[in-house]
Amino acid sequence: VVEVRRQFQEMKRNPHYAPEYEKCVQISTRAALKEMILPGMMVMLTPIITGWLFGPRAVAGLLAGILVSGVQMATSSANAGGAWDNAKKYIEKESLVPKSSPQFKDIKAAAVTGDTVGDPMKDTSGPSLNILVKLSAILSLVFGGFFASDWGGILIS
């Protein structure tokens, strides 16, 4: 926001100033990557720490829970996001109330708000949960030999 405001002020002072889109994209990308470190580490370390502390059976239970909850959450996110998107389209077609109706403006505003939430749900949240399930399963498979060795399940033999 600070960078955008700075560029707008610069545009007011200098009419030939060209916006520097790259700076805004760079700031957003850096912030997004920084914020994804902790969730990424949680996804990668949870099966490893579980297998190290509790052994391969605990990892199998963890994977079952990740699979069941991940599939349910991904399906729900994708379906709910699609429903909000379709609701907006339905309202825009004047299927609920005509545009001339005094209620149309408020209904359309609510639908746009729902679509703002729905688009990220169907386009990013649902598919990203698929990656979470796959990454957890692959890491568990790669470290399976470690979990089954003397180093796995150090708290429960």
Side-chain angles (χ1 to χ4, degrees):
V1 174
V2 173
E3 177 61 23
V4 172
R5 287 181 179 161
R6 184 196 67 78
Q7 289 188 27
F8 274 122
Q9 289 172 355
E10 188 66 34
M11 282 185 228
K12 287 179 184 175
R13 282 184 259 152
N14 180 4
H16 299 293
Y17 176 79
E20 301 172 61
Y21 303 112
E22 311 84 39
K23 282 190 178 183
C24 296
V25 170
Q26 185 180 35
I27 291 168
S28 298
T29 303
R30 276 196 184 137
L33 289 173
K34 184 179 176 185
E35 292 293 322
M36 286 308 297
I37 291 172
L38 181 61
M41 295 304 290
M42 286 174 60
V43 168
M44 292 188 291
L45 293 177
T46 299
I48 294 170
I49 292 172
T50 301
W52 176 56
L53 294 177
F54 303 110
R57 290 184 181 185
V59 175
L62 176 72
L63 288 178
I66 289 172
L67 179 66
V68 169
S69 61
V71 167
Q72 188 273 329
M73 289 294 296
T75 304
S76 295
S77 293
N79 287 341
W84 273 331
D85 188 38
N86 290 337
K88 186 183 98 179
K89 291 174 185 171
Y90 182 77
I91 290 165
E92 286 174 343
K93 286 184 180 178
E94 299 183 59
S95 300
L96 189 61
V97 294
K99 286 185 180 179
S100 59
S101 169
Q103 298 171 325
F104 182 79
K105 184 178 176 184
D106 292 335
I107 293 171
K108 172 86 187 279
V112 169
T113 302
D115 186 48
T116 303
V117 174
D119 277 342
M121 282 185 74
K122 75 176 167 61
D123 296 336
T124 59
S125 296
S128 67
L129 286 167
N130 182 27
I131 294 167
L132 178 141
V133 170
K134 285 181 182 179
L135 184 59
S136 297
I138 288 172
L139 282 170
S140 298
L141 182 64
V142 168
F143 285 93
F146 172 75
F147 303 150
S149 73
D150 291 338
W151 289 96
I154 62 171
L155 293 181
I156 299 175
S157 334

